[in-house]
Amino acid sequence: MAIVRARLVGCAAFDADAIELCARKVGAVSGDARRALDVCRRAVEIVEHEWRAQPTGQAMPMVTMMDIDRAVKEMQAAPHVAFIRNASAQQKVFLVAMRAAMRKAGVAEVPLGDVAVVHRQLCLMHAMRAPSYEQIGVICAQLGASRCVLAESSILDVRQLVRLAVAEDDITVALKPDPVFSKLATS
């Protein structure tokens, strides 16, 4: 919350309670200050759009807790978040495995083989059927077709580089309500 307040210091567009609500809502899911600032930006856009739609000559109103709440709900209802929420169990595991492989490597692009190893380990740790490497390649292609994953080429190979096309926080937001994946999503 301190980071969000520091970034918004001197900005009279926000009610103090709205900033606190934003920090708490985002903190409950991911704790990422960038995500909180995105919510604040979206809340300002909502207020500005409503203000411009009703030309009354008044000054633009402050962003309130209701505006923050609307922005959070809107961001959680984004199409890619809804897709992840409704994805198959193996697709969800793949996204979590990909995020874990990226964090381990410290880079945004990782070989499909590294993701496959983590994917199979996660399946075994959580008593799920571990797919073959070929099946993991198909899962990657499905996620690529839905624009959740970007692949280096159309040839599915363990050396092929893959990267997320969605924010890591969107994976957390999408999987947090799922009782099976909530622990995986936050680890």
Side-chain angles (χ1 to χ4, degrees), residues 9-184:
V9 71
C11 181
F14 288 89
D15 179 44
D17 292 338
I19 295 171
E20 185 173 339
L21 176 67
C22 177
R24 287 179 189 266
K25 286 227 179 215
V26 173
V29 174
S30 68
D32 186 6
R34 292 171 296 187
R35 182 81 170 177
L37 292 171
D38 284 343
V39 169
C40 289
R41 179 192 48 77
R42 182 62 193 132
V44 168
E45 290 171 355
I46 290 170
V47 170
E48 182 181 27
H49 177 73
E50 290 176 353
W51 176 68
R52 289 181 190 266
Q54 300 173 355
T56 60
Q58 297 178 359
M60 191 167 116
M62 290 177 65
V63 174
T64 64
M65 290 172 55
M66 284 180 30
D67 301 318
I68 292 290
D69 194 48
R70 282 181 30 203
V72 168
K73 286 179 182 170
E74 185 179 299
M75 290 178 80
Q76 288 178 347
H80 56 277
V81 173
F83 174 82
I84 295 168
R85 201 172 274 142
N86 296 317
S88 72
Q90 290 295 333
Q91 289 173 334
K92 291 176 183 179
V93 173
F94 183 91
L95 291 170
V96 171
M98 190 165 174
R99 185 178 66 180
M102 289 168 42
R103 287 179 178 174
K104 181 180 178 184
V107 294
E109 284 186 329
V110 292
L112 178 59
D114 292 358
V115 176
V117 168
V118 175
H119 185 126
R120 291 177 55 83
Q121 288 172 345
L122 287 172
C123 286
L124 295 173
M125 285 175 18
H126 296 285
M128 296 175 74
R129 185 188 62 78
S132 68
Y133 286 98
E134 198 172 273
Q135 290 169 325
I136 291 173
V138 171
I139 293 166
C140 180
Q142 292 168 342
L143 290 170
S146 68
R147 304 284 190 255
C148 286
V149 171
L150 298 175
E152 185 179 49
S153 69
S154 61
I155 301 169
L156 293 173
D157 178 19
V158 292
R159 294 178 304 273
Q160 171 187 17
L161 294 178
V162 292
R163 72 180 310 148
L164 285 173
V166 296
E168 288 185 37
D169 281 351
D170 290 336
I171 295 170
T172 305
V173 167
L175 299 182
K176 187 134 185 173
D178 188 327
V180 175
F181 289 96
S182 62
K183 289 180 185 174
L184 281 175

